[in-house]
Amino acid sequence: MSSESGSPQLAVVINEAVQTLREGGLVAFPTETVYGLGADAKNPDAIKKIFTAKGRPSNHPLIVHLAAPDRFDQAQVDWMPVLAPWVRDLSEDALKLIHAFWPGPLTLVFKKDKSVLTELTGGQDTVAIRAPAHPIAQELLRKLKGGVVAPSANRFGKVSPTSAADVRSEFAGLLDLMILDGGDCEVGIESTIIDLSSGTHPILLRPGLITPTEIFAKTGIRVYSPGESNLSEQESSLPRVSGSLRAHYAPRTPLRMYSSGRVLDALSEFPDTKSRVAVAVWDSDSSLGDDGHPSVHFEEVLVPSDSTAFASRLYRTLRDLDQQDWDLILFPEPPSGEEWDGVRDRLQRACFGSGPSSSSHANN
């Protein structure tokens, strides 16, 4: 179902999607990060359909998506009524983060209200929440007047979808699915996840476009990384969250990263590599040239050397290459710096899970 934002046709399609959700059906919809596979967060049977459709382990929690309040004048926005049915308490830090970054690609983990279904929390006493910024997602949530759980609209462990066509190809023949087409996703990787459930330090559970430095600059709140030594007690009880398994976001084609200028070293780890290798190279670099490996046909694929543009194109590039029957895909290791942490995280998990046996890794 393709529609332009703001058109009368879109209103009809969104009303139909709301009806589908209310009746316990699934709706795929665009967010600014990736496409989500949505179900009514208050309907346990609908939530189970998500786990079945994706092949997702039932202890792997989902994120609840909520509509922003109608008033967008930041000084006037009151998030309390929106969050009250879902979370046990809202700290001052939580409200600062919400006012600074919602709607947007930031997920916050809270102690859950007792009414929140354990089906969506993976049996934990915490709930992950965000308000997506995409206008179609916001309109859908506003008209539903409720929460929607929406993991990425792909089969579990596979490359996340950033277009409606990706969702269609992912579930073709498997699922009678309503898909709201909102064009290509702008951010391109999943949201940053911050744990606020312990009440002591905010902890980064999944990197994304919004970095700890940006959070500190806008709010004065220091976000800790899980490895920091003064968090040892808190560490042992960190909640499980989406995208935290070692194998995830994975193409069927074997995927590896190479360090600068070391393409041939990466190849030598694959003595049985056949002849066709796709090599992603920075658009700021000179070409690889044909040196050094006579039996291999390389094809270069330019990738952006800007972290935001790289993230926006990452899953699109992985999906396209995965459909071209390469024997191996090589990606450059992202530079150091926390603006690259989100894509580095996705690439490491994609490498680990990639290859013909990726479905068995994903269940690991």
Side-chain angles (χ1 to χ4, degrees):
M1 305 244 167
S2 181
S3 312
E4 288 305 308
S5 187
S7 70
Q9 184 196 357
L10 177 65
V12 172
V13 173
I14 285 182
N15 286 339
E16 192 184 324
V18 167
Q19 196 55 38
T20 302
L21 290 169
R22 284 189 181 138
E23 290 168 1
L26 303 184
V27 173
F29 63 94
T31 77
E32 74 280 24
T33 58
V34 299
Y35 273 70
L37 182 62
D40 178 355
K42 296 285 188 190
N43 183 331
D45 292 334
I47 292 168
K48 283 176 187 151
K49 284 183 191 170
I50 283 186
F51 285 98
T52 305
K54 282 180 64 75
R56 183 183 177 101
S58 60
N59 67 347
H60 205 50
L62 302 172
I63 294 170
V64 178
H65 295 65
L66 298 176
D70 287 335
R71 298 202 58 160
F72 268 84
D73 168 8
Q74 285 300 317
Q76 301 292 324
V77 172
D78 182 7
W79 285 91
M80 291 298 232
V82 176
L83 287 158
W86 303 95
V87 308
R88 211 180 297 167
D89 58 322
L90 267 180
S91 65
E92 203 169 306
D93 276 1
L95 284 168
K96 276 187 195 167
L97 291 167
I98 287 166
H99 281 293
F101 294 105
W102 282 10
L106 180 70
T107 295
L108 300 175
V109 178
F110 302 94
K111 286 282 188 234
K112 76 178 189 71
D113 182 82
K114 60 182 183 299
S115 66
V116 175
L117 296 171
T118 54
E119 283 86 350
L120 74 84
T121 65
Q124 302 177 109
D125 66 350
T126 52
V127 61
I129 298 182
R130 89 177 184 98
H134 197 289
I136 289 179
Q138 278 294 322
E139 189 64 15
L140 176 70
L141 292 161
R142 206 168 272 134
K143 284 197 166 156
L144 180 71
K145 295 182 169 55
V148 168
V149 285
S152 56
N154 55 289
R155 279 168 294 166
F156 185 69
K158 299 299 183 188
V159 181
S160 303
T162 54
S163 73
D166 292 344
V167 181
R168 276 192 286 276
S169 71
E170 195 72 24
F171 292 110
L174 292 178
L175 199 56
D176 176 26
L177 184 63
M178 182 172 185
I179 302 171
L180 295 175
D181 187 343
D184 292 341
C185 300
E186 211 172 297
V187 174
I189 61 170
E190 296 77 4
S191 58
T192 304
I193 301 182
I194 307 274
D195 177 35
L196 300 173
S197 65
S198 73
T200 48
H201 298 297
I203 297 185
L204 180 69
L205 298 183
R206 179 174 74 183
L209 179 74
I210 294 171
T211 62
T213 298
E214 187 185 353
I215 288 170
F216 186 76
K218 286 192 176 168
T219 65
I221 293 168
R222 180 168 173 209
V223 174
Y224 291 75
S225 66
E228 293 189 48
S229 57
N230 54 343
L231 301 176
S232 52
E233 278 177 40
Q234 201 177 330
E235 289 265 296
S236 58
S237 57
L238 286 179
R240 296 185 308 280
V241 291
S242 289
S244 56
L245 298 182
R246 194 172 167 199
H248 223 76
Y249 320 110
R252 292 182 309 276
T253 311
L255 168 71
R256 293 295 178 270
M257 284 191 278
Y258 65 90
S259 47
S260 180
R262 309 296 287 272
V263 170
L264 297 181
D265 290 358
L267 271 183
S268 66
E269 290 174 29
F270 279 81
D272 58 338
T273 294
K274 323 296 183 299
S275 52
R276 301 182 68 252
V277 180
V279 184
V281 293
W282 299 117
D283 56 13
S284 54
D285 280 356
S286 59
S287 106
L288 289 171
D290 287 328
D291 51 319
H293 214 291
S295 63
V296 176
H297 166 65
F298 289 112
E299 189 156 316
E300 289 181 20
V301 180
L302 290 181
V303 290
S305 43
D306 168 78
S307 60
T308 306
F310 184 96
S312 179
R313 297 289 304 160
L314 174 60
Y315 293 149
R316 167 84 286 117
T317 306
L318 284 179
R319 274 183 174 268
D320 290 349
L321 292 174
D322 204 19
Q323 286 160 9
Q324 292 167 17
D325 290 329
W326 296 99
D327 297 318
L328 178 66
I329 300 168
L330 294 176
F331 255 75
E333 284 176 4
S336 57
E338 63 176 36
E339 71 276 18
W340 287 96
D341 285 351
V343 290
R344 186 181 303 104
D345 169 80
R346 305 311 188 273
L347 273 170
Q348 285 168 343
R349 294 175 201 277
C351 287
F352 185 75
S354 69
S357 61
S358 55
S359 57
S360 62
H361 284 301
N363 298 326
N364 244 329

